[in-house]
Amino acid sequence: MLNINYLNQNQKKAVCAPFNVPIVVIAGAGTGKTKVLTSRIMYLLDELEFNYDNILALTFTNKAAYEMKERIEKAGYSKITWMSTYSSLGLRILKEEIGKLRRDSNFVVIDEQEQSEIILSLKKKMNAGLEKKLSKSPRVILGIISGIYSGFFDNVYEEEFNSILSNKKFWLPFMLNEEEKKQIFDIFIQYHETKKNNNYVDYDDLLSLPLLIFKKNKDVVEKWRKRFAYILVDEFQDTSFIQFTFLLYLLDPSHNNLFVVGDPDQTIYTWRGAYPQIFQDLYDKFPNCIKITLDKNYRSIQHILDAGNKVIANNKNREDKKLVSDIKEGELVNIYIGDNKEKQWNFVISEIEKLKGEYSYRDIAILYRSKNETSLIENKFAVKKMPYKIFGGIKFWQRREIKDIVAFLKFMINPNDELALIRIINFSRVGIGETRINNIAKSAFEKKISFYDELENMENEKIQNFVNQINNIKDTCFNLTVSKALTKIVEMSFYHDFLMNEYEINDAKERIENVNELIVTATEKEKQMKEDVSISEFLAEISLYITANDSINENNKDYISLMTIHHAKGLEFKVVFVVGMVDGIFPSSNAENYEEERRLAYVAITRAKERLYLCGYKEILGYLKSRWDSAPSFSFIQEATGLHTKKVFDSVKTLTDLENSWFDSTQQTSVKDRYNEEAIDINVGDSVVHTLFGEGHVVGVSNDYLDIVFNDGKRMTVNAKHKAISKKIN
């Protein structure tokens, strides 16, 4: 049960704050915000006698929601019913209310990859020449659509669409000419028609559609407001305009029971819709709110906090606070500036070698502003035999074998799901090639009928055999539990045989294990809910669910973690190297907001608990070189410098030319000559050959990096441009 004696004075003040008035907690990095949030919930239950079902806690990640639930349950409380992300809550609302939009509740949530497939397909269907005229990629077009929805959620018509694009309030990655606007608008309209016809919902819809329902149905608003007697929000600084609007619809103005926790100094997601003025908007909306600041840090030594405090103090538009720690002893912050990027990485490797006796590899993280900073590390870690992982790879639910089997579930509840049908065709080996699939899709589009209807109408023996096969599977599995349906789908589709024929033995076995894990997940979900879980409910859950395979298991591996600072948000490590801290790279020359770059530096610094290294280099290559009239500068390093820092110098032997060219000692040894200009075309599931590590198979692709499991069992992330990598020809 709740014990407030372990809280500091300001934490107690926040936990025991009065209700019927909004509470704003400004919580600096490492100050125990999650502890305060969970304790506040316990206080509401114990002291104020709120009901479990009437408390809503909103977070920004499923992981954060899970951790908060776990803390509360370990303290002896029952499970909080409404603890989720904004998207998860929007999904639950849609399941109840989408009928108000004359839509079926058996909709399917599509992911970014499926969205891109729709956009690419539309470009081909609408006009064969359009693809050449409109050079914007599906990802960019979806970014425009998402940018619109971050600040606009009503029906969109052409004049409003053009107005939005010309309004600088809404983020756009580039300027569009009039022809591009018209082309994108045409795709935009057809994209929405495709979603309606196939009963798809994308991630933007999970908030925009509930808001549209709220706007048109006051009775629905009142219904949901009555459910929530108290609302708590985690990481409030990440809140977008549409999320804030969504929150205000849910908040009952008769009591304004709102409790938000966040840190304006960690607003680093403006490109995702967050905006630094969110706290001021909150103060303007609720001028009577109570503000409490948490500034006692329990994560880092004071030297590290001093560096962070010095950097962030240079921002003008911020809440005034200064982090303090009881841990006064410890290493000074290390500052290193090398002659070039290669020397910087040599220094990092050297320092890790020195730390190995005191720290495990899992204690160490290397953070950077851009993934381009990692272009030199592959051969260096390989030579030193240091295990590492570049984060940002493929997730469990994105794996090919999982999406294949889930496609059958989607087809069972919605035969008109074109994406699911095409995926089933591709792995069923029914003799229907890509050209035939494209022609069928185009014909269905022109006739304004579904892809499935077009298949049924075709007088082709192979196609009719396929239709009969999938209908047989659907009829057999429809009334089964999800876990039993999955088992039957795998059996009737001969999916294990497909994997064994498609992939090398080790790769196939791993994929079969993943399919088995999917069935286990469904079984556990059925036990957890203690009732039959419908296929629709299961699909809704997994669309927003992150499995233990993607997080918990990874934490047990002993490797050095490499990631962007954005990816590191919310994490902590005993030792942190921040690399590439040179003006033009970090802070980025492409950044529109210099203060946000500084907030990124603050976030990077405050990830470190015991040791911190701030690293840069003098030699700037490429297009940035011509921008310097004099030597490059190191703004954030200079801002961090003080009595809490020390300069360190090169104490590492440069790798020999032979070591630098380990992929082929007959090649030239310059960095440029070790990499191809373009990454070779490698996809998940492909077999590859690496000149040092041997044969393996690709299990993840992220930008120019490949996550590879080698035949000896080692798993490594490598640069797809490196000449050491080649695609295996079977």
Side-chain angles (χ1 to χ4, degrees):
M1 304 304 285
L2 177 62
N3 177 11
I4 65 172
N5 293 326
Y6 67 95
L7 301 173
N8 67 39
Q9 183 177 352
N10 283 356
Q11 288 174 336
K12 288 179 183 177
K13 187 177 178 182
V15 169
C16 302
F19 66 106
N20 284 351
V21 59
I23 309 297
V24 181
V25 181
I26 306 298
T31 56
K33 69 174 182 63
T34 304
K35 182 192 297 182
V36 167
L37 262 173
T38 53
S39 296
R40 177 64 172 179
I41 293 173
M42 297 176 203
Y43 182 79
L44 294 174
L45 295 169
D46 281 352
E47 303 297 327
L48 303 181
E49 298 183 347
F50 278 84
N51 189 290
Y52 285 90
D53 294 333
N54 297 130
I55 296 174
L56 169 64
L58 290 170
T59 69
F60 278 83
T61 66
N62 291 309
K63 181 182 176 184
Y66 174 80
E67 289 175 351
M68 288 175 63
K69 285 180 182 178
E70 193 174 41
R71 285 197 190 194
I72 292 172
E73 290 174 22
K74 283 184 177 179
Y77 295 83
S78 298
K79 187 175 181 180
I80 301 297
T81 306
W82 298 96
M83 184 176 289
S84 67
T85 63
Y86 279 96
S87 297
S88 296
L89 177 60
L91 178 62
R92 294 175 74 172
I93 292 174
L94 278 184
K95 281 294 178 182
E96 288 191 33
E97 311 294 352
I98 200 168
K100 296 288 193 299
L101 300 177
R102 297 179 181 178
R103 295 274 299 272
D104 191 330
S105 63
N106 280 336
F107 57 81
V108 171
V109 182
I110 56 175
D111 59 27
E112 290 183 11
Q113 180 183 336
E114 291 163 331
Q115 288 178 275
S116 295
E117 289 172 7
I118 292 173
I119 296 296
L120 187 60
S121 175
L122 287 173
K123 288 174 70 176
K124 292 177 180 178
K125 291 175 185 175
M126 292 170 64
N127 187 333
L130 182 61
E131 196 165 7
K132 294 181 180 178
K133 295 177 186 176
L134 183 60
S135 61
K136 310 307 180 192
S137 69
R139 185 177 179 182
V140 169
I141 295 172
L142 286 169
I144 295 173
I145 294 173
S146 185
I148 294 169
Y149 275 118
S150 69
F152 190 79
F153 54 85
D154 207 342
N155 289 324
V156 179
Y157 300 102
E158 184 164 5
E159 61 272 16
E160 292 169 327
F161 176 79
N162 288 322
S163 173
I164 288 166
L165 291 180
S166 63
N167 188 338
K168 292 182 180 180
K169 177 182 177 183
F170 298 96
W171 174 84
L172 289 175
F174 44 76
M175 296 301 294
L176 300 169
N177 60 42
E178 291 304 314
E179 183 180 2
E180 287 174 328
K181 286 183 182 180
K182 177 66 170 63
Q183 291 169 342
I184 290 177
F185 175 73
D186 289 341
I187 289 178
F188 177 80
I189 295 299
Q190 291 299 329
Y191 173 70
H192 281 277
E193 286 300 312
T194 300
K195 286 196 297 181
K196 285 183 181 179
N197 293 340
N198 289 275
N199 207 15
Y200 294 149
V201 168
D202 63 26
Y203 286 117
D204 291 317
D205 292 331
L206 295 178
L207 286 187
S208 63
L209 292 182
L211 279 171
L212 185 57
I213 294 170
F214 288 162
K215 187 173 182 179
K216 295 184 175 182
N217 300 273
K218 290 184 179 180
D219 58 322
V220 176
V221 176
E222 292 303 315
K223 167 186 169 182
W224 285 91
R225 282 179 174 175
K226 286 179 181 179
R227 287 195 181 181
F228 306 131
Y230 208 97
I231 301 177
L232 305 95
V233 184
D234 188 18
E235 302 284 11
F236 188 68
Q237 77 280 349
D238 294 336
T239 305
S240 67
F241 173 78
I242 190 171
Q243 288 166 339
F244 189 45
T245 306
F246 183 71
L247 177 64
L248 294 179
Y249 266 109
L250 295 174
L251 184 64
D252 191 331
S254 67
H255 55 64
N256 287 333
N257 278 332
L258 179 65
F259 187 94
V260 307
V261 180
D263 183 6
D265 287 335
Q266 297 187 66
T267 305
I268 61 173
Y269 293 112
T270 58
W271 49 275
R272 244 170 30 187
Y275 61 108
Q277 296 80 22
I278 183 66
F279 281 89
Q280 189 56 54
D281 284 359
L282 186 67
Y283 300 149
D284 292 343
K285 183 70 178 178
F286 304 106
N288 65 327
C289 70
I290 297 173
K291 185 168 73 171
I292 302 163
T293 300
L294 305 182
D295 54 11
K296 186 172 182 179
N297 178 283
Y298 293 92
R299 174 189 297 159
S300 309
I301 63 173
Q302 189 62 51
H303 293 319
I304 292 172
L305 298 183
D306 287 342
N309 288 335
K310 280 204 69 180
V311 169
I312 200 63
N314 292 283
N315 273 3
K316 306 299 181 187
N317 303 310
R318 62 181 294 265
E319 301 269 354
D320 186 31
K321 72 175 187 306
K322 191 174 183 179
L323 295 179
V324 296
S325 172
D326 285 340
I327 313 172
K328 305 303 180 184
E329 302 297 324
E331 290 288 322
L332 296 175
V333 174
N334 298 278
I335 291 178
Y336 171 84
I337 298 176
D339 291 334
N340 51 50
K341 186 188 289 189
E342 183 150 6
K343 283 197 172 183
Q344 173 194 253
W345 280 112
N346 288 343
F347 168 75
V348 171
I349 296 286
S350 174
E351 288 300 304
I352 292 175
E353 285 183 314
K354 294 176 185 177
L355 296 170
K356 188 61 181 82
E358 187 176 351
Y359 296 96
S360 299
Y361 287 128
R362 69 167 62 92
D363 297 326
I364 302 171
I366 301 174
L367 310 182
Y368 36 82
R369 177 66 177 87
S370 167
K371 287 184 178 180
N372 293 333
E373 284 304 293
T374 64
S375 61
L376 293 177
I377 54 93
E378 180 185 354
N379 60 315
K380 297 185 182 298
F381 280 129
V383 169
K384 296 295 184 179
K385 292 182 168 50
M386 290 181 174
Y388 71 100
K389 178 176 174 62
I390 298 176
F391 279 80
I394 196 164
K395 299 293 185 185
F396 179 81
W397 296 103
Q398 296 295 328
R399 296 182 186 278
R400 185 220 170 137
E401 58 272 19
I402 302 303
K403 293 177 78 71
D404 282 351
I405 299 303
V406 168
F408 260 112
L409 294 183
K410 292 181 177 180
F411 169 73
M412 285 170 62
I413 66 169
N414 180 15
N416 292 331
D417 190 328
E418 181 177 325
L419 292 178
L421 270 170
I422 292 175
R423 178 170 284 276
I424 294 169
I425 290 172
N426 285 334
F427 78 75
S428 295
R429 296 286 192 252
V430 292
I432 307 174
E434 183 178 355
T435 301
R436 173 65 69 87
I437 291 173
N438 290 338
N439 289 337
I440 295 171
K442 187 175 181 180
S443 176
F445 178 80
E446 292 171 348
K447 294 177 182 177
K448 297 188 182 302
I449 62 175
S450 72
F451 187 89
Y452 176 77
D453 288 339
E454 181 68 8
L455 285 177
E456 277 206 317
N457 294 336
M458 295 182 69
E459 296 180 359
N460 179 286
E461 185 178 354
K462 288 181 180 179
I463 291 176
Q464 288 310 310
N465 286 340
F466 170 73
V467 171
N468 292 335
Q469 179 192 5
I470 59 175
N471 283 337
N472 184 33
I473 294 176
K474 181 182 73 171
D475 294 342
T476 302
C477 300
F478 195 78
N479 292 320
L480 300 177
T481 64
V482 177
S483 59
K484 289 181 180 178
L486 287 169
T487 302
K488 206 68 179 173
I489 287 169
V490 172
E491 175 190 325
M492 295 180 70
S493 65
F494 303 100
Y495 194 72
H496 286 176
D497 292 341
F498 162 74
L499 293 176
M500 294 301 290
N501 291 327
E502 185 78 0
Y503 300 102
E504 296 288 340
I505 184 68
N506 289 339
D507 191 359
K509 286 181 178 179
E510 182 178 336
R511 292 173 184 274
I512 289 172
E513 288 176 3
N514 288 334
V515 171
N516 293 338
E517 180 64 26
L518 172 63
I519 298 172
V520 170
T521 300
T523 304
E524 290 177 348
K525 178 60 65 176
E526 290 162 355
K527 290 179 180 177
Q528 178 186 347
M529 298 184 70
K530 296 181 180 178
E531 57 186 34
D532 289 341
V533 182
S534 70
I535 292 174
S536 177
E537 289 170 334
F538 181 72
L539 290 173
E541 282 286 325
I542 67 173
S543 66
L544 302 169
Y545 179 65
I546 299 176
T547 67
N549 289 21
D550 294 315
S551 55
I552 298 173
N553 290 349
E554 294 289 6
N555 293 336
N556 295 327
K557 303 289 182 66
D558 190 23
Y559 50 63
I560 302 161
S561 298
L562 285 82
M563 64 189 75
T564 64
I565 300 166
H566 285 100
H567 196 103
K569 175 74 168 59
L571 303 178
E572 58 184 50
F573 300 89
K574 291 181 179 179
V575 181
V576 170
F577 293 84
V578 188
V579 299
M581 296 189 75
V582 51
D583 287 17
I585 297 171
F586 186 28
S588 171
S589 60
N590 296 322
E592 296 182 7
N593 189 319
Y594 196 85
E595 290 207 345
E596 178 155 356
E597 291 293 293
R598 189 176 281 114
R599 291 193 293 269
L600 266 175
Y602 174 74
V603 167
I605 289 169
T606 54
R607 298 312 94 195
K609 298 169 69 175
E610 299 177 10
R611 291 177 184 263
L612 173 66
Y613 295 80
L614 305 180
C615 307
Y617 46 87
K618 299 174 185 176
E619 183 183 10
I620 304 296
L621 302 175
Y623 79 97
L624 284 175
K625 187 174 183 179
S626 62
R627 301 178 64 157
W628 300 112
D629 295 327
S630 57
S633 55
F634 308 90
S635 298
F636 293 158
I637 287 181
Q638 291 165 348
E639 290 176 2
T641 300
L643 295 176
H644 49 274
T645 64
K646 66 177 180 180
K647 292 183 179 179
V648 291
F649 303 94
D650 284 321
S651 59
V652 58
K653 178 183 176 182
T654 303
L655 292 174
T656 67
D657 287 346
L658 180 60
E659 288 173 324
N660 271 332
S661 60
W662 53 266
F663 69 93
D664 186 345
S665 59
T666 65
Q667 297 291 322
Q668 296 183 44
T669 59
S670 70
V671 173
K672 179 180 178 181
D673 289 333
R674 292 200 295 271
Y675 292 87
N676 297 306
E677 290 186 6
E678 299 290 336
I680 59 177
D681 183 20
I682 296 180
N683 300 303
V684 174
D686 286 344
S687 296
V688 295
V689 178
H690 193 289
T691 58
L692 185 64
F693 306 123
E695 295 184 7
H697 59 275
V698 179
V699 296
V701 178
S702 179
N703 294 327
D704 288 335
Y705 290 94
L706 308 174
D707 194 7
I708 301 174
V709 175
F710 290 95
N711 289 353
D712 62 0
K714 291 180 181 177
R715 182 169 180 166
M716 297 192 70
T717 306
V718 300
N719 193 321
K721 292 183 179 180
H722 205 293
K723 292 179 179 179
I725 290 289
S726 61
K727 193 171 181 178
K728 184 179 178 182
I729 306 299
N730 294 321

